[in-house]
Amino acid sequence: DTGVSQNPRHKITKRGQNVTFRCDPISEHNRLYWYRQTLGQGPEFLTYFQNEAQLEKSRLLSDRFSAERPKGSFSTLEIQRTEQGDSAMYLCASSRSSQETQYFGPGTRLLVL
Amino acid sequence: EDKVVQSPLSLVVHEGDTVTLNCSYEVTNFRSLLWYKQEKKAPTFLFMLTSSGIEKKSGRLSSILDKKELFSILNITATQTGDSAVYLCAVGGRRAGGTSYGKLTFGQGTILTVHP
């Protein structure tokens, strides 16, 4: 396994700008998850996909957030009109649908100025 | 709403000490409990527990689950400076038909610092 990869690793943006993050899961994993982690807290679930289908979205995911996984492989998470409160680490994880264990990528650290 | 509480929030020990980290949970239709280690980057998987009373062990780390009392412990013996990290506990629930919800609910984490 090459592991879960995320790009970019760091992003600094100004309030009101749009940002997009990419996640490439472990190749044979059909489930892909997005989490957000702020300093001193554990990761909070945002959304997850099984293949191309987005099966669950957290109430944390406001209308400014959208995630896609068009071909059931990589996924993108877009945040529109960023706010300072969006500053966090955005973690992606993947798993097989038959297994509980989720494997995490290195994360994208977002800072909104 | 699912909830996971870890204690203590932080712990400072010296090399060679033994530590016990606690995790209590409330989850609808429990399916699994997972422990992760996080060192300034992505959480790395340690253990998954689904059954009560069965200890999982990997080197100096071990963990056990009590589904009746709704908690788990993670033990680390003969601690080393490389064990310094945040240890995260997470739970997964399942739907009425038995399939998992997918999402994991995490606790706040325990920050472990091991001094030489």
Side-chain angles (χ1 to χ4, degrees), chain B residues 29-80:
Chain B
N29 296 324
F30 174 89
R31 184 172 173 90
S32 59
L33 184 144
L34 296 90
W35 285 96
Y36 288 85
K37 177 182 181 182
Q38 188 172 28
E39 299 171 90
K40 295 184 187 287
K41 50 184 181 179
T44 54
F45 172 72
L46 294 175
F47 298 112
M48 185 178 76
L49 304 124
T50 57
S51 301
S52 279
I54 299 174
E55 185 183 48
K56 291 280 183 90
K57 197 169 172 62
S58 176
R60 296 176 294 101
L61 278 66
S62 64
S63 183
I64 198 161
L65 174 67
D66 185 328
K67 289 167 72 173
K68 183 178 178 184
E69 300 297 330
L70 307 182
F71 79 90
S72 174
I73 60 172
L74 176 68
N75 280 320
I76 308 174
T77 59
T79 52
Q80 302 171 356

Side-chain angles (χ1 to χ4, degrees), chain A residues 13-32:
Chain A
T13 192
K14 292 183 180 179
R15 191 174 51 189
Q17 298 295 305
N18 299 344
V19 294
T20 300
F21 310 141
R22 176 177 169 130
C23 171
D24 288 87
I26 294 171
S27 58
E28 63 268 27
H29 288 183
N30 59 347
R31 282 192 173 181
L32 186 149

Side-chain angles (χ1 to χ4, degrees), chain A residues 6-100:
Chain A
Q6 293 186 245
N7 288 289
R9 297 290 306 278
H10 303 272
K11 180 72 177 177
I12 300 174
T13 192
K14 292 183 180 179
R15 191 174 51 189
Q17 298 295 305
N18 299 344
V19 294
T20 300
F21 310 141
R22 176 177 169 130
C23 171
D24 288 87
I26 294 171
S27 58
E28 63 268 27
H29 288 183
N30 59 347
R31 282 192 173 181
L32 186 149
Y33 311 81
W34 286 99
Y35 291 84
R36 180 172 67 188
Q37 187 176 25
T38 53
L39 200 61
Q41 302 296 319
E44 294 176 295
F45 171 78
L46 294 177
T47 188
Y48 92 96
F49 294 83
Q50 179 156 312
N51 301 315
E52 303 88 357
Q54 188 173 17
L55 295 188
E56 189 173 353
K57 291 169 62 172
S58 165
R59 285 170 291 177
L60 292 175
L61 214 63
S62 77
D63 291 345
R64 297 184 298 106
F65 288 69
S66 62
E68 294 183 342
R69 195 182 182 199
K71 297 182 180 178
S73 57
F74 73 92
S75 174
T76 57
L77 177 69
E78 181 183 17
I79 309 174
Q80 297 182 323
R81 304 181 304 281
T82 51
E83 301 173 356
Q84 288 182 324
D86 297 331
S87 296
M89 173 78 88
Y90 290 83
L91 293 165
C92 175
S94 70
S95 74
R96 302 174 198 264
S97 57
S98 58
Q99 296 181 351
E100 297 291 319

